[in-house]
Amino acid sequence: MFSFSSIDQYHSSLQDGTATCLQAVEHYLQRINAQMHLNAFVDIYADEARTRAAALDLQRQSGRPMEVLHGVVIGIKDVIAYNGHKLTAASRILEGFHSIYSATAVERLLEAGAIIIGSLNCDEFAMGSTNENSAYGKVLNALDETRIPGGSSGGSAVAVQAGLCMVSLGSDTGGSVRQPADLCGIIGLKPTYGRISRYGLIAYASSFDQIGIFGSTIADVALTLQVMAGADDFDSTVSTRPVPDYTHGLKEKQDKPLRIAYFPEALDHPSLDPEISQAIHNLLKNLQAEGHQVSPVSFSLLDHIVPAYYVLTTAEASSNLSRYDGVRYGYRTSKEGLDINELYETTRSEAFGTEVKRRIMLGTFVLSAGYYDAYYTRAQKVRKLLFDQTQLIFKEFDHIFLPTTPSTAFRIGEKTTDPIAMYLADIYTVMANLVGIPAISLPLFRHSNGMPFGLQVMSNRFEELSLLRISDLLIDRQLKP
Amino acid sequence: MASNPAYETVIGLEVHAQLLTQSKLFCGDSIAYGAAPNTHVSPVTLAHPGTLPKMNKKAVELAIRMGLACHCEIERHNYFARKNYFYPDLPKGYQVSQHTTPICKGGHITIRTEAGGERAVRLNRIHLEEDAGKSLHDVLDTDSCIDLNRAGTPLIEIVTEPDLRSAEEVSAYLTELRKLVRYLGVCDGNMEEGSLRCDVNISVRRQGDARLGTKVEIKNLNSIRNARRAVEAESRRLIELLENGQPVLQQTRSFDAATGTSFATREKEDADDYRYFADPDLTPFALEESFIDSIRASLPELQEQRVQRYMNQWNLPDYDARVITDDKSLADFYEEMVNAGALPKPAANWMLGPVKSWLNENDKEISDFPLSPAALAAVLKMVDTGALSFSAASTRLFTHLLQHPADDAAVAAQQLNLIQQSDADTLAPLIDEVLARYADKVTEYKKGKKGVLALFVGEVMKRSKGKADPRVTNELLLERLKS
């Protein structure tokens, strides 16, 4: 009977012959089939995964050394291109579309020996916080199937939560990895903007988007990041900084006390569930008692960040989604006799969902003449201010602690009628994307309602190693009696 | 056209020039002209989901090269903006362009006026942008066809101030601009293939009015001749409107070369809001001083410098030097001939004579000329050594070689029996014969009537069937008549 706890353990059992890649793939295919009602997968590459697993087993058994992600079974969000495979962003507008190239991240995973087992459900074009805005229907939270898993990478979170793959990829533009990780009780990392190439990631908001990783251990997340990160000739916004050895770095002993900042305005915000507030306050208190530096930092911009985020991301989205016009690929209306403008209007009206249309219109509005300065230019100023303030904080501190979400997973359908309330729930996650810093959600807590919730930790740009180290420490600490 | 002297025509030009890079502005697709439709189209050109642009540094270099040659100020901090609009040949739904920070600002291009003087036409800007694809409406009956080979080709847009006043000046400016881009190696300047395209902004006002009249834009003129015709026709149309008391509408118009008239394609009232914003997929780029300096240091020689060089180094008359250098390819051909051993002045005569005549008669460019510079230089060398007369070379041998470009000039001259006789042994009997036949004239010569020498030369030539070298014949006759 196959069981998985970490990539390290999996690799040991492959080496001592107690498991094979093919057994792993069969195990996951069986589980996926048994959990079809969760609706986490959009497409399953069963035969392909089996073939690849068998080939990897053969290579290993013939004495070839294992690649770092040898046989690791990975699911990818349906916004990441994989040559020859369906790519739809959970939207009707890309109905029937297959990518003719692979994302840089996917190519690197494959080179490192990973097995991609399927593509994962999400909110349409990664717009949403509940995974209710999908052309494939909603995804269920495996811990309580009446609740949402979060979004937009809901399928990716549930795939790891329900044990349908070892690691999964999501994308995070304003919290789309961290928020579902929080609501599903797993680890979700959004790296620094520009750490992983965006080539092959369907754009929602180009200056915010970043591929993120879901996993069940920090070491697994670190290893997956290691493989995908680094310079890429196809993305001019990706960083050329060398990628540190995260796996090795994690094992180095750290004795220095942590320097942690938190925002009282955030922890005592009226929208925050008091139990979540209390849990984080307690953690901070304990860490201080253990000799770490824990300090409140005033943060006056909190109420401006959600508006700034929605102005800037919708502006970029309105332009990024222009290419879906029914001319070259994807969905085209079946109505005949339309002129070119009618073709655009009808195609896009028929195939985009409500939330996507709302954001395209909002973004078009904030960029239009007469409103541009009042919205777009001002939001950019907020972003700049926020960047500067954050840099000041990181002069004195290594980490900022925040909640990931204001509440635990709510019921399906509960908030779909109030988009504003839904947007405001992004209050804690959008900051990292506005500033471009790495952030992680760690599954440290459980609510009295039985649902999990997490702690969000942020570090300065390109300080993933430091972020992974403190994450490891916090999870270890939580596991100790 | 007799223009109405009561009015002044004010013209500004926007010229799009495709840059001579190997690949597109933001991906590795080839930009070669004439490929089968939709064969230079990677996922990036097709704007497939998830694709990203990557800037072509060569295009930036060429834009700066043009800016430096036009005396522009080079912007050190650049970024690209997105110009958002829907059109089937615009795959991303936006064009990437430099909206607020053109890479080159100000500057000027000097034109030569018909009166023979010079005038500086001020530039407003030169900026980088990507070309769109092509929509073809005449291939199928009901559907339009899209060819995206051109989509993403790097362009510079060269925008003048409203400094031009007539069709002649427009023509002079475009001629000068085309020459400039060719000398710089920035663009092939081929207007028929669309690598150089011109939009004209034109208005008229009463002489002495300080305020400009309402402007009309004529799009996509594909030859200097058509630009000139369009300006003449539009200027006439606008003056007529004003004379008749009718309003000028701010419009975009197209010129129909077949009828010589323009027609409105859209009114300005439905102008788009392009929602420009900095393209977040491309990082802003700063230009290092050293990069600009290196481009400045490697600027190629321009026409004026070549004219001076030809005059100083090769003693060419100003006229010859100027006509040859008017076309860079012609000048390159000429230089190769000289480098292959042809004498500079005879080579210039050949360029301006037989070569240009052939090009004009056949309506060809020098790139289509069948003979290589070295092959033509070989013909000139035979004339120079006296092996061949100029007339035999320029009529018979030249004509033969144009039809048989692979033939060796010397061998062909032999076969055509064109080699001149300069051998004293061959010529002596002919000279004897002539002097014997015209004994009376010999006596006249010896008495001082030196003019009859030409008669003797002519007779020897006749008897040699034109192959006697006149120079050698002359010398031999003088020698014989001395005694």
Side-chain angles (χ1 to χ4, degrees):
Chain A
M1 173 71 193
F2 182 86
S3 75
F4 175 81
S5 60
S6 72
I7 295 172
D8 208 29
Q9 163 269 322
Y10 171 53
H11 278 178
S12 300
S13 46
L14 288 177
Q15 253 158 347
D16 65 24
T18 53
T20 66
C21 297
L22 191 56
Q23 279 172 6
V25 165
E26 293 296 354
H27 165 81
Y28 288 113
L29 288 174
Q30 207 172 19
R31 288 195 60 87
I32 291 166
N33 275 324
Q35 305 289 323
M36 283 300 262
H37 65 287
L38 296 177
N39 203 22
F41 278 82
V42 161
D43 206 0
I44 303 154
Y45 316 140
D47 291 340
E48 202 183 308
R50 285 190 183 104
T51 308
R52 184 162 164 85
L56 286 165
D57 284 334
L58 211 59
Q59 281 170 20
R60 190 183 61 257
Q61 285 151 4
S62 73
R64 214 172 102 172
M66 293 197 295
E67 307 90 338
V68 288
L69 292 179
H70 182 94
V72 173
V73 178
I74 296 180
I76 58 175
K77 186 177 178 179
D78 187 26
V79 292
I80 298 171
Y82 183 14
N83 196 0
H85 296 79
K86 195 161 91 171
L87 177 67
T88 71
S91 178
R92 275 193 74 197
I93 200 103
L94 280 170
E95 202 172 78
F97 181 76
H98 285 67
S99 185
I100 58 168
Y101 74 102
S102 288
T104 301
V106 167
E107 279 191 348
R108 291 184 182 173
L109 291 179
L110 292 172
E111 272 164 34
I115 298 168
I116 296 178
I117 197 158
S119 64
L120 297 160
N121 204 347
C122 56
D123 282 303
E124 185 181 1
F125 282 100
M127 297 176 183
S129 320
T130 64
N131 217 130
E132 291 167 301
N133 311 323
S134 164
Y136 303 101
K138 56 188 185 289
V139 177
L140 310 184
N141 192 318
L143 279 175
D144 178 345
E145 294 178 7
T146 67
R147 293 178 193 266
I148 55 125
S152 65
S153 316
S156 303
V158 170
V160 169
Q161 176 199 38
L164 312 181
C165 58
M166 296 174 185
V167 173
S168 69
L169 299 190
S171 66
D172 190 316
T173 306
S176 283
V177 166
R178 290 158 288 154
Q179 185 256 20
D182 174 284
L183 303 185
C184 291
I186 58 171
I187 299 165
L189 169 72
K190 180 204 92 75
T192 307
Y193 179 79
R195 184 71 290 184
I196 299 173
S197 169
R198 290 185 295 118
Y199 189 70
L201 169 64
I202 290 185
Y204 157 19
S206 311
S207 71
F208 294 76
D209 296 341
Q210 184 61 198
I211 288 177
I213 304 157
F214 294 93
S216 34
T217 74
I218 292 296
D220 289 359
V221 170
L223 189 60
T224 312
L225 174 66
Q226 180 100 49
V227 167
M228 295 190 293
D232 177 22
D233 275 344
F234 292 94
D235 178 359
S236 37
T237 63
V238 76
S239 172
T240 54
R241 281 177 192 236
V243 180
D245 186 337
Y246 300 120
T247 303
H248 190 261
L250 267 181
K251 289 173 187 154
E252 283 170 3
K253 202 96 195 102
Q254 297 295 309
D255 294 326
K256 278 203 294 189
L258 301 167
R259 300 186 302 163
I260 299 160
Y262 69 95
F263 307 141
E265 293 94 334
L267 279 187
D268 304 324
H269 200 271
S271 71
L272 183 62
D273 182 317
E275 259 188 65
I276 298 177
S277 172
Q278 196 52 51
I280 297 176
H281 271 300
N282 287 346
L283 174 67
L284 288 167
K285 208 180 295 166
N286 292 339
L287 286 169
Q288 193 161 29
E290 290 161 25
H292 300 293
Q293 182 193 337
V294 177
S295 310
V297 171
S298 172
F299 186 66
S300 55
L301 289 169
L302 191 64
D303 288 328
H304 296 93
I305 63 178
V306 168
Y309 169 83
Y310 275 96
V311 167
L312 295 174
T313 53
T314 56
E316 291 185 14
S318 70
S319 172
N320 283 334
L321 270 60
S322 296
R323 64 187 59 192
Y324 308 108
D325 57 6
V327 173
R328 294 169 312 288
Y329 51 77
Y331 179 87
R332 185 192 289 192
T333 181
S334 54
K335 288 196 182 129
E336 297 280 338
L338 305 177
D339 72 24
I340 186 64
N341 284 320
E342 291 163 344
L343 176 80
Y344 291 143
E345 278 174 29
T346 314
T347 297
R348 289 164 64 88
S349 299
E350 286 173 359
F352 280 135
T354 308
E355 183 59 30
V356 171
K357 284 182 200 162
R358 177 157 39 230
R359 295 197 196 189
I360 290 173
M361 287 192 288
L362 194 56
T364 304
F365 174 76
V366 299
L367 282 176
S368 56
Y371 300 98
Y372 196 97
D373 286 339
Y375 292 100
Y376 187 72
T377 308
R378 279 179 79 189
Q380 275 185 313
K381 284 181 186 160
V382 172
R383 191 177 197 183
K384 177 77 173 68
L385 274 178
L386 191 64
F387 184 86
D388 294 345
Q389 279 203 13
T390 310
Q391 287 308 302
L392 281 179
I393 296 171
F394 284 124
K395 276 193 172 157
E396 289 178 55
F397 301 92
D398 300 313
H399 308 289
I400 298 170
F401 278 23
L402 272 177
T404 307
T405 63
S407 70
T408 55
F410 40 88
R411 306 269 172 207
I412 290 164
E414 197 179 319
K415 293 201 181 165
T416 37
T417 51
D418 187 356
I420 301 293
M422 197 88 97
Y423 295 170
L424 285 173
D426 297 337
I427 184 164
Y428 302 120
T429 47
V430 296
M431 176 178 168
N433 304 83
L434 278 160
V435 178
I437 56 177
I440 197 165
S441 183
L442 302 170
L444 298 184
F445 309 109
R446 193 165 287 266
H447 197 273
S448 59
N449 66 12
M451 295 306 288
F453 63 92
L455 167 76
Q456 183 182 204
V457 186
M458 306 191 291
S459 299
N460 205 355
R461 297 170 70 236
F462 300 101
E463 292 295 337
E464 275 85 358
L465 181 54
S466 163
L467 181 64
L468 292 165
R469 276 176 178 154
I470 186 177
S471 299
D472 212 26
L473 182 146
L474 290 168
I475 288 175
D476 269 1
R477 204 183 148 282
Q478 203 76 356
L479 293 175
K480 280 177 196 153
Chain B
M1 176 199 79
S3 60
N4 187 329
Y7 291 92
E8 182 184 42
T9 307
V10 178
I11 307 152
L13 297 183
E14 294 168 16
V15 174
H16 288 91
Q18 289 183 351
L19 295 174
L20 280 175
T21 52
Q22 294 292 311
S23 54
K24 293 186 178 177
L25 187 51
F26 299 118
C27 72
D29 289 340
S30 163
I31 61 165
Y33 179 81
N38 298 308
T39 51
H40 295 160
V41 290
S42 63
V44 178
T45 292
L46 294 171
H48 271 210
T51 53
L52 293 172
K54 183 83 181 181
M55 193 178 70
N56 184 335
K57 202 175 167 192
K58 184 72 186 173
V60 175
E61 188 190 319
L62 292 178
I64 295 172
R65 195 188 288 179
M66 184 68 184
L68 291 173
C70 296
H71 319 282
C72 302
E73 184 193 324
I74 308 299
E75 175 61 53
R76 274 13 178 215
H77 298 281
N78 291 273
Y79 68 88
F80 284 101
R82 292 184 182 177
K83 178 181 182 177
N84 294 284
Y85 65 97
F86 285 98
Y87 205 71
D89 58 24
L90 187 73
K92 296 189 293 291
Y94 54 83
Q95 180 196 26
V96 178
S97 172
Q98 291 188 310
H99 174 55
T100 37
T101 59
I103 189 159
C104 311
K105 286 188 277 193
H108 64 266
I109 290 177
T110 304
I111 60 170
R112 296 172 79 83
T113 58
E114 290 206 325
E118 291 187 345
R119 200 158 85 69
V121 177
R122 290 172 305 149
L123 299 184
N124 174 283
R125 55 150 66 190
I126 299 174
H127 72 251
L128 273 165
E129 62 186 31
E130 58 175 345
D131 210 342
K134 279 184 197 160
S135 297
L136 308 163
H137 304 295
D138 49 6
V139 179
L140 300 175
D141 286 344
T142 51
D143 293 304
S144 293
C145 294
I146 311 286
D147 177 7
L148 294 176
N149 282 350
R150 200 180 69 179
T153 297
L155 297 176
I156 46 173
E157 183 174 341
I158 306 140
V159 183
T160 72
E161 295 292 351
D163 272 7
L164 298 159
R165 292 292 177 271
S166 67
E168 290 73 31
E169 286 191 352
V170 166
S171 169
Y173 171 82
L174 290 174
T175 304
E176 206 55 48
L177 178 64
R178 185 170 62 176
K179 208 187 306 177
L180 190 58
V181 295
R182 285 176 170 171
Y183 264 97
L184 290 168
V186 156
C187 168
D188 67 19
N190 205 330
M191 294 187 81
E192 298 72 45
E193 291 177 3
S195 27
L196 201 67
R197 308 193 291 272
C198 174
D199 300 343
V200 172
N201 287 297
I202 179 169
S203 65
V204 296
R205 62 179 167 189
R206 285 200 164 273
Q207 288 287 0
D209 264 8
R211 221 160 47 98
L212 288 170
T214 303
K215 176 181 80 171
V216 165
E217 184 175 17
I218 310 170
K219 285 270 190 199
N220 265 328
L221 295 161
N222 63 357
S223 73
I224 295 179
R225 196 174 103 86
N226 281 341
R228 189 185 178 121
R229 290 170 67 208
V231 167
E232 280 170 359
E234 195 58 24
S235 165
R236 211 160 34 218
R237 189 185 73 88
L238 293 175
I239 291 171
E240 260 174 41
L241 284 175
L242 294 184
E243 283 287 285
N244 297 334
Q246 289 171 304
V248 173
L249 300 176
Q250 192 177 341
Q251 285 171 332
T252 302
R253 300 176 73 86
S254 258
F255 181 70
D256 181 352
T259 63
T261 56
S262 71
F263 56 94
T265 49
R266 56 184 262 175
E267 307 289 328
K268 215 65 188 179
E269 284 86 287
D270 49 52
D272 282 319
D273 177 358
Y274 291 116
R275 295 177 285 121
Y276 287 98
F277 71 103
D279 190 337
D281 286 332
L282 289 158
T283 42
F285 60 103
L287 297 173
E288 304 276 343
E289 227 48 49
S290 58
F291 181 60
I292 297 171
D293 287 344
S294 73
I295 297 170
R296 189 180 283 116
S298 64
L299 274 182
E301 191 185 38
L302 300 179
Q303 183 186 19
E304 212 43 49
Q305 293 156 303
R306 274 209 201 192
V307 167
Q308 293 310 317
R309 183 159 62 82
Y310 289 5
M311 289 169 67
N312 295 334
Q313 191 179 329
W314 291 333
N315 285 315
L316 286 198
D318 176 275
Y319 175 82
D320 291 20
R322 211 163 279 286
V323 176
I324 291 172
T325 56
D326 261 340
D327 178 342
K328 177 175 182 285
S329 308
L330 203 69
D332 289 343
F333 189 96
Y334 168 74
E335 287 195 22
E336 279 185 60
M337 266 173 75
V338 174
N339 291 337
L343 292 171
K345 179 55 187 165
N349 293 344
W350 273 81
M351 293 307 294
L352 301 182
V355 175
K356 275 215 117 178
S357 307
W358 185 87
L359 296 178
N360 289 340
E361 278 160 24
N362 295 285
D363 195 21
K364 298 271 195 199
E365 300 284 325
I366 190 73
S367 53
D368 308 314
F369 191 65
L371 301 183
S372 70
L376 193 53
V379 175
L380 265 76
K381 275 188 275 184
M382 287 164 72
V383 175
D384 182 44
T385 58
L388 212 55
S389 71
F390 173 77
S391 69
S394 65
T395 53
R396 302 197 47 203
L397 182 57
F398 185 63
T399 313
H400 172 87
L401 290 175
L402 286 172
Q403 278 151 13
H404 308 92
D407 283 7
D408 180 79
V411 174
Q414 287 284 359
Q415 282 168 350
L416 293 169
N417 211 4
L418 299 175
I419 299 298
Q420 297 192 117
Q421 289 170 2
S422 53
D423 176 7
D425 291 344
T426 321
L427 292 175
L430 299 179
I431 288 172
D432 288 345
E433 202 184 312
V434 168
L435 293 184
R437 165 76 181 73
Y438 294 99
D440 50 335
K441 300 289 176 191
V442 174
T443 314
E444 281 178 29
Y445 178 86
K446 288 191 170 168
K447 280 181 185 161
K449 200 175 172 192
K450 302 296 182 198
V452 294
L453 185 66
L455 171 78
F456 302 144
V457 175
E459 285 300 315
V460 172
M461 295 292 290
K462 205 186 283 172
R463 281 168 172 73
S464 75
K465 299 197 175 69
K467 283 155 56 185
D469 182 330
R471 191 167 44 86
V472 177
T473 307
N474 215 44
E475 278 166 18
L476 289 171
L477 275 166
L478 285 173
E479 194 71 19
R480 286 285 302 277
L481 289 167
K482 256 190 236 168
S483 54

